Amino acid sequence: TCNALLSIGANAYLEIIAPHPGADAARLNPQLKALFTDPLANMKTLTPYLWAVGCADLDATVTRLGERDIHLTEPATGARQKPDGQLLEWRASFIKRPEFPGAPFFIEWADPSIAPPSDSPRGCLLEDFSIAGPEAGLLETVTQTLDLNTRVNHAPKSSIKICLNTPKGEIHLPS
């Protein structure tokens, strides 16, 4: 993928992802291809479709959600070289049971000072963030268990709505 990052307030960032024009789909990790490349290929407009919850202690998050019958994968490590040469490292975990549309994934940064929420370009602020889906009860369990300031609505199809305050006024995604 090709990515652009934007800090949108304390501990929050927006990542815009597009398919990399030179990527060889046959060489991609099948799980990452299904999560990123395949959905992006079908999008015609800027559409929020994934969201992550940053965790200071991913293991504690896995435990807290497990106590509420939301089970996560074992945290997996990841890393990438930033344009400035620094190595950005993280651990991430995904909801494995029960699976439901609109579910977030969870990420813990090895060094939060160089992670996207604090190290990306600034200029916009998150005004509103809401999620909707057919499993609103499970989404509410996640947001309430982790004390997330996120509105949850019931809807037949999963969606994410974002409102940003920008130097040129409010922007709503999707528009």
Side-chain angles (χ1 to χ4, degrees):
T1 60
C2 297
N3 305 16
L5 303 171
L6 175 68
S7 175
I8 54 174
N11 300 316
Y13 74 102
L14 181 65
E15 184 168 3
I16 300 170
I17 303 172
H20 191 288
D24 178 3
R27 296 183 64 208
L28 296 175
N29 172 311
Q31 184 181 19
L32 295 178
K33 183 178 180 299
L35 187 61
F36 294 108
T37 308
D38 293 345
L40 292 173
N42 298 318
M43 291 183 194
K44 304 298 181 219
T45 61
L46 191 59
T47 306
Y49 81 103
L50 286 176
W51 64 294
V53 175
C55 307
D57 183 344
L58 184 56
D59 297 313
T61 298
V62 169
T63 299
R64 286 179 68 194
L65 288 172
E67 290 167 352
R68 302 293 306 269
D69 267 348
I70 296 179
H71 303 280
L72 278 62
T73 60
E74 278 295 314
T77 59
R80 71 172 170 81
Q81 199 81 32
K82 294 174 54 170
D84 65 6
Q86 291 180 301
L87 184 63
L88 181 62
E89 298 175 282
W90 63 86
R91 296 171 64 223
S93 189
F94 295 82
I95 293 175
K96 67 178 175 182
R97 193 179 70 249
E99 290 185 24
F100 56 95
F105 67 94
F106 304 86
I107 192 162
E108 176 186 344
W109 303 104
D111 182 351
S113 72
I114 64 167
S118 56
D119 195 39
S120 296
R122 300 184 187 314
C124 300
L125 292 175
L126 179 65
E127 289 294 322
D128 191 44
F129 178 83
S130 65
I131 51 176
E135 299 290 346
L138 290 170
L139 290 167
E140 285 178 341
T141 298
V142 171
T143 61
Q144 290 171 1
T145 300
L146 302 177
D147 298 320
L148 303 176
N149 185 19
T150 304
R151 284 185 297 111
V152 176
N153 299 301
H154 186 272
K157 186 178 174 189
S158 176
S159 67
I160 299 170
K161 293 184 180 177
I162 299 170
C163 177
L164 297 173
N165 182 345
T166 78
K168 294 187 177 189
E170 282 190 354
I171 293 177
H172 296 266
L173 300 172
S175 55

